[in-house]
Amino acid sequence: MRTAIARALAALEEVSVRLIGAPRPAIGAADPFAGLLPWDLTSAEALEVPAAETEYGAALLDFAGVCAIRRAVPPSLAARGGAAASALAAEVRRGVRRRGGDPDCPQVGFRFHEACQRGPGRVDLRGYQLDEEPFAAVGEVGGRAWLPLVRRVLGGDARLLWSGLVVTEPGTAAQRFHADAPPVPRAVWEEHGLLGGLPRATLPAHCLTVFVPLVDLRRGLNGPTAFLPGSHHGATAAAMAAEAGERGLAP
């Protein structure tokens, strides 16, 4: 039996010609995704949401688990942020070397409270100088585009948990597909009476991750973060975890 990942990848060739460049489903339709599977949404156009269309955006997030808001951050501000991110990553790498470490060592690597290595060539920063410019401006300006959708999905009391940067050098090996956070167990939702007594294979969203590219994704060296639409659904995630276990990989 073919797994969720195999079906998703096989669907790319079949539906890409049909979806790329096609108009997105009509906003306000009773079921804008009728006849589609989440992994049928393989183009940027199919996943795009105008910033003001929070109703459609919430429906797309529930269906596919991912959506895109174009030009939430002006290119000039994103470029400033990208340059500052590269400078911070270089500063971290110099600091590791001063302490006698090798920031590109695949066996040892480094891990600190505010910075860690995600494999050779990839530095992950959390909170470090992100309340300073230009990162504060990226969050303030971009937030005008994505915060209405975030609050539509999570509620008006949604708050920022943390901010981070992932700086990847050209030629760095790709990461395996992974979830950024574990799901909240069904028992917790039921304990707080948040399911309304309705059985759901996929639990409501409890957090959202907002990725803001700070480089031009149209350039060959700047490949974007990849997503598997539909992998947030319980049955799909279980199939992916089972396949990873069969192959001896961490899910």
Side-chain angles (χ1 to χ4, degrees), residues 73-84 134 138 212-216:
V73 176
S76 59
L77 178 55
R80 286 173 49 209
V138 170
V212 185
L214 299 177
V215 295
D216 188 346

Side-chain angles (χ1 to χ4, degrees), residues 4-5 7-9 11-12 15 19 36-44 46-47 60-68 177 225-233 236-237 240:
I5 290 181
R7 291 196 305 271
L9 295 177
L12 296 181
V15 302
L19 287 177
L36 291 176
L37 294 170
W39 43 82
D40 285 341
L41 301 176
T42 60
S43 71
L47 293 170
L60 180 56
L61 275 175
D62 186 61
F63 179 72
V66 58
C67 69
F177 282 110
T225 299
F227 299 89
L228 282 176
S231 57
H232 67 305
H233 289 293
T236 310
M240 293 170 63

Side-chain angles (χ1 to χ4, degrees), residues 207-228:
C207 67
L208 295 174
T209 301
V210 178
F211 282 89
V212 185
L214 299 177
V215 295
D216 188 346
L217 299 182
R218 297 170 298 180
R219 298 176 59 191
L221 295 179
N222 295 325
T225 299
F227 299 89
L228 282 176

Side-chain angles (χ1 to χ4, degrees), residues 24 27-28 48-60 145 148-149 152:
R24 58 188 175 84
I27 296 173
E48 184 176 351
V49 174
E53 297 289 354
T54 58
E55 179 182 358
Y56 176 74
L60 180 56
L149 177 55
R152 176 67 181 255

Side-chain angles (χ1 to χ4, degrees), residues 54-148:
T54 58
E55 179 182 358
Y56 176 74
L60 180 56
L61 275 175
D62 186 61
F63 179 72
V66 58
C67 69
I69 300 175
R70 287 185 182 271
R71 301 183 70 87
V73 176
S76 59
L77 178 55
R80 286 173 49 209
S86 296
L88 280 182
E91 177 185 327
V92 168
R93 293 164 66 86
R94 288 193 298 269
V96 171
R97 290 193 181 95
R98 284 196 299 269
R99 290 163 174 78
D102 180 358
D104 293 317
C105 178
Q107 289 78 29
V108 180
F110 63 91
R111 182 175 294 273
F112 299 99
H113 178 69
E114 294 176 318
C116 68
Q117 180 203 59
R118 300 290 185 188
R122 182 177 287 108
V123 175
D124 191 340
L125 305 173
R126 180 173 295 194
Y128 184 56
Q129 297 188 21
L130 294 184
D131 57 347
E132 302 177 11
E133 298 299 340
F135 306 115
V138 170
E140 179 181 356
V141 174
R144 298 170 192 160
W146 64 67
L147 276 179

